[in-house]
């Protein structure tokens, strides 16, 4: 089903039949009911679905923030399904760049210090850290905002800092959770243009969103419903997606 | 680009990462304190008060120790005291009450026996006899003065220095001349401006010419002054002050490392002097500085323990404040913790970060507290020069260690909670 105009890169994410149960009081809620997904290098994929579809749970799995109840999950050939907290932290640090809806920047630190944070956890020395952070800030067009704190930046600039932070460790995937949710549509488009640019430069991007306007930027769309993948197709086919979203 | 990642052994890389995390944590701690200035100050105040209390108590205990040692040294560590009563608490006081009095004549008998014993551990026996009287000069009078009669060799067993003059000599001693040596307080009270040497004071209506003034010795455990004393030749003393006098024999030993042997020897000699048959128990007590020390040490130690415990409570309250504020901080920054975890912070990183925050706060409180305590000691030292206060480097080190430990202990529970937070839950926390 996956087709792309580009040559298919090596497999980055390989998920097979994963489930996730949450125990809520007496009840066990099954948020994912057997999801299989393969993501290759330099794909640009949107994960869509209404709330309660298991979209967030899948994102947590993909981001190695959580482990599945059952099923197989290999990240770059490494089995992450059975990793402990610290091993997962190392994977998140090196392989995944997070971009959050609410930016999640440290309020009292400058752009540069915010972007340096993943490098501290990677054990990189201060001089190299600063050099690398400055470099990615330049890439996202914030060379002149390096020593500004988040409250001195616009929403779009803040999200650019967050994108720079996601990029700084050269991760295998960039995982963006509703990256434009807190931005006006014009700024949102700017951020999406930045993602397009990153994609063109060879990055792998996973976009989790419920907004069709945002999802259209991706080259592949996965729809979730009731903890299962409903559709997984190349490009964004408005009619198909409309049907997928609105079918009761 | 990834220069920091290549060519290093995993252990070394992990160590480096730990160091970077450590320095990052200190920076965060500093910035947290700056941005929550009021809150940090108030919390640190608890620790400041605790450290001031503990440190001051520490200096007071140190001072008591010094005063105690100084008081003890008055007795000399190479002198045995033969008396009716032991220098310790006795439960069967009636067994001691009926003992025969110690007589000053024993000293002569002892000295004869010492002279006849080859390789004796004992050097010399000195008789002393004391009463409490008042001393007059012109219109002035000092009460509660310890009047002591002894021989000129008394000087051998004593630890005092002379402010002026001399001790009475052998001739004066044997002849029972009406001369005396006065303590600092007596001289100061009776002769505030002039030199007391060659002046005559009245004791029991009898004139005694002053030949020497003893330098200030201070007080014994702060209880009574050692400077309120008059010493005179024994024959003169016996002539005027026989009633209600208490006699002691002071025996100086040759080698203080063999005090126990000397004590046994002296006991044997005293039994001979007293003519005790072998089956009878000693009817005298041989006392020494060490025995007094071991009687008083437990009292001193329990004062120290009680004092430190009570002041330690204030530090404990401070520690609770730190724990509370660290819990608040963890709660407030739950999303930040989630973000850090998403970016690759391990449990250890988060634990370290909050431990350092609480420790930094405690350490700061400790340093400020120590500063206050030092200033207070200094002021007390100026205002009351004789108040025993002892501010030592050991105390500085201990209070810093206590501050750090307080921080680590009080920060541990919140830091542990933070480190165990589930990243998903933490990121969603509102």
């Amino acid at each position: 089903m996956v087709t792309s105009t580009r040559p298919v890169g090596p497999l980055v994410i390989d998920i097979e039949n994963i489930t996730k149960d949450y125990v809520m009081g007496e009840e066990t809620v099954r948020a994912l009911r057997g999801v299989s997904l393969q993501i290759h290098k330099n794909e640009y994929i949107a994960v869509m679905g209404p709330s309660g579809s298991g979209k967030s749970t899948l994102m947590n799995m993909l981001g190695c923030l959580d482990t599945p109840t059952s099923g197989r999950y290999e990240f770059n050939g490494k089995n992450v399904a059975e990793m402990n907290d610290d091993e997962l932290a190392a994977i998140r640090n090196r392989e995944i760049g997070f971009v959050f809806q609410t930016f999640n920047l440290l309020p009292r630190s400058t752009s540069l210090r915010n972007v340096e944070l993943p490098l501290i956890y990677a054990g990189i020395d201060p001089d190299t850290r600063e050099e690398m952070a400055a470099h990615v800030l330049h890439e996202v067009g914030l060379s002149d905002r390096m020593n500004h704190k988040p409250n001195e930046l616009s929403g779009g600039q803040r999200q650019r800092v967050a994108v720079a932070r996601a990029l700084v460790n050269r991760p295998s995937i960039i995982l963006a959770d509703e990256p434009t949710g807190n931005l006006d549509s014009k700024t949102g488009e700017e951020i999406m243009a930045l993602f397009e640019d990153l994609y063109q430069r060879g990055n792998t991007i996973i976009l989790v969103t419920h907004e069709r306007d945002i999802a259209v930027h991706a080259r592949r769309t996965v729809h979730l419903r009731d903890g299962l993948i409903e559709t997984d197709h190349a490009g964004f086919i408005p009619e198909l997606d409309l049907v997928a979203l609105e079918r009761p | 680009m990834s220069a920091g990642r290549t060519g290093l052994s995993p252990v070394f890389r992990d160590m480096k990462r730990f160091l970077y995390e450590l320095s990052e944590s200190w920076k965060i701690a500093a910035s947290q304190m700056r941005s929550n200035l009021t809150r940090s100050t108030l919390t640190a105040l608890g620790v400041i008060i605790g450290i001031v209390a503990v440190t001051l108590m520490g200096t007071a205990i140190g001072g008591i120790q010094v005063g105690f040692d100084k008081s003890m040294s008055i007795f000399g560590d190479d002198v045995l005291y033969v008396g009716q009563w032991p220098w310790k608490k006795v439960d069967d006081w009636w067994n001691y009450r009926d003992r025969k009095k110690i007589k000053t004549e024993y000293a002569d008998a002892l000295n004869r026996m010492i002279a006849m014993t080859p390789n004796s551990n004992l050097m010399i026996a000195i008789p002393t006899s004391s009463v409490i009287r008042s001393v007059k000069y012109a219109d002035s009078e000092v009460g509660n003065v310890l009047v002591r009669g002894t021989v000129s060799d008394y000087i051998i067993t004593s630890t005092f220095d002379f402010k002026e003059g001399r001790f009475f000599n052998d001739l004066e001693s044997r002849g029972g001349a009406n001369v005396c040596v006065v303590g600092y307080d007596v001289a100061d009270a009776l002769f505030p401006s002039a030199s007391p040497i060659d002046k005559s004071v009245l004791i029991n209506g009898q004139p005694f010419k002053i030949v020497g003034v003893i330098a200030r010795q201070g007080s014994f455990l702060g209880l009574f002054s050692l400077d309120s004393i008059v010493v005179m030749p024994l024959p003169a003393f016996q002539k005027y002050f026989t009633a209600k006098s208490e006699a002691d024999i002071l025996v100086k030993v040759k080698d203080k490392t063999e005090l126990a042997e000397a004590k046994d020897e002296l006991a044997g000699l005293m039994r001979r002097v007293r003519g005790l048959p072998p089956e009878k128990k000693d009817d005298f007590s041989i006392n020494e500085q060490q025995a007094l020390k071991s009687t008083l040490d437990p009292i001193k130690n329990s004062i120290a323990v009680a004092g430190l415990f009570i002041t330690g409570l204030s530090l404990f309250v401070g520690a609770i404040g730190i724990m509370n504020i660290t819990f608040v901080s963890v709660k407030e920054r739950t999303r930040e913790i989630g973000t850090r975890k998403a970016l690759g912070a391990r449990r250890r990183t988060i634990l370290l970060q909050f431990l350092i925050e609480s420790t930094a706060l405690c350490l700061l409180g400790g340093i400020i507290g120590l500063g206050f305590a030092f200033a207070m000691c200094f002021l007390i030292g100026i205002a009351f020069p004789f108040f025993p206060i002892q501010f030592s480097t050991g105390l500085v080190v201990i209070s810093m260690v206590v501050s750090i430990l307080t921080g680590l202990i009080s920060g541990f529970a919140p830091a542990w909670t933070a480190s165990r937070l589930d990243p998903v839950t933490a990121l969603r926390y509102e």
Side-chain angles (χ1 to χ4, degrees), chain B residues 93-345:
Chain B
W93 54 269
W94 51 89
N95 287 333
Y96 298 90
R97 182 192 53 184
D98 295 337
R99 279 175 165 182
K100 282 200 282 180
K101 298 275 183 209
I102 301 294
K103 295 197 178 95
T104 51
E105 296 82 42
Y106 295 169
D108 292 334
L110 286 172
N111 279 329
R112 274 198 302 278
M113 286 189 274
I114 291 167
M116 286 189 298
T117 316
N119 300 324
S120 173
N121 275 319
L122 309 172
M123 193 190 285
I124 190 169
I126 309 288
T128 71
S129 192
S130 309
V131 289
I132 301 289
R133 287 287 185 276
S134 51
V135 181
K136 286 183 204 166
Y137 177 77
D139 293 334
S140 312
E141 178 171 354
V142 197
N144 280 327
V145 177
L146 182 76
V147 176
R148 169 168 286 174
T150 187
V151 296
S152 57
D153 285 336
Y154 179 71
I155 195 80
I156 300 171
T157 63
S158 293
T159 52
F160 53 71
D161 297 319
F162 279 90
K163 183 168 172 276
E164 51 186 316
R166 57 174 177 84
F167 204 65
F168 51 81
N169 58 32
D170 192 41
L171 205 66
E172 292 163 328
S173 174
R174 286 172 196 277
N178 277 20
V179 293
C180 70
V181 168
V182 295
Y184 182 89
D185 284 357
V186 177
D188 194 45
L190 298 180
F191 307 95
S193 49
S195 167
I197 301 292
D198 290 337
K199 304 276 183 354
S200 281
V201 288
L202 287 178
I203 310 170
N204 253 19
Q206 297 297 321
F208 291 87
K209 191 178 82 175
I210 296 172
V211 295
V213 179
I214 301 166
R216 182 192 280 278
Q217 298 192 83
S219 63
F220 179 74
L221 301 179
L223 298 175
F224 54 88
S225 170
L226 294 162
D227 299 311
S228 189
I229 187 171
V230 169
V231 188
M232 61 178 64
L234 190 60
F237 180 88
Q238 283 169 333
K239 202 150 86 192
Y240 306 112
F241 309 101
T242 42
K244 287 186 181 173
S245 67
E246 288 267 355
D248 278 307
I249 310 289
L250 277 55
V251 182
K252 192 172 173 78
V253 302
K254 279 181 183 147
D255 183 358
K256 63 183 170 191
T257 59
E258 288 176 24
L259 205 64
E261 289 85 342
K263 206 171 163 182
D264 287 343
E265 186 188 341
L266 181 58
L269 297 184
M270 271 305 291
R271 290 180 69 90
R272 274 164 66 192
V273 169
R274 278 272 167 96
L276 287 177
E279 71 276 9
K280 276 207 164 178
K281 288 205 280 184
D282 290 352
D283 58 356
F284 53 88
S285 293
I286 297 173
N287 300 306
E288 42 164 326
Q289 178 197 23
Q290 197 52 45
L292 189 61
K293 245 185 187 162
S294 49
T295 310
L296 294 176
D297 268 346
I299 301 170
K300 187 188 71 190
N301 291 343
S302 43
I303 291 172
V305 168
L308 282 178
F309 176 75
I310 293 165
T311 50
L313 284 180
S314 68
L315 189 62
F316 183 66
V317 173
I320 291 174
I322 296 279
M323 190 189 288
N324 184 35
I325 215 69
T326 314
F327 265 121
V328 170
S329 185
V330 167
K331 206 83 186 155
E332 279 180 348
R333 287 153 67 198
T334 303
R335 271 170 68 100
E336 182 196 313
I337 295 165
T339 307
R340 286 177 182 276
K341 287 200 161 195
L343 299 179

Side-chain angles (χ1 to χ4, degrees), chain B residues 405-423:
Chain B
L405 282 180
T406 308
L408 289 177
I409 291 167
S410 54
F412 188 78
W416 182 254
T417 314
S419 76
R420 307 301 288 192
L421 277 175
D422 173 36

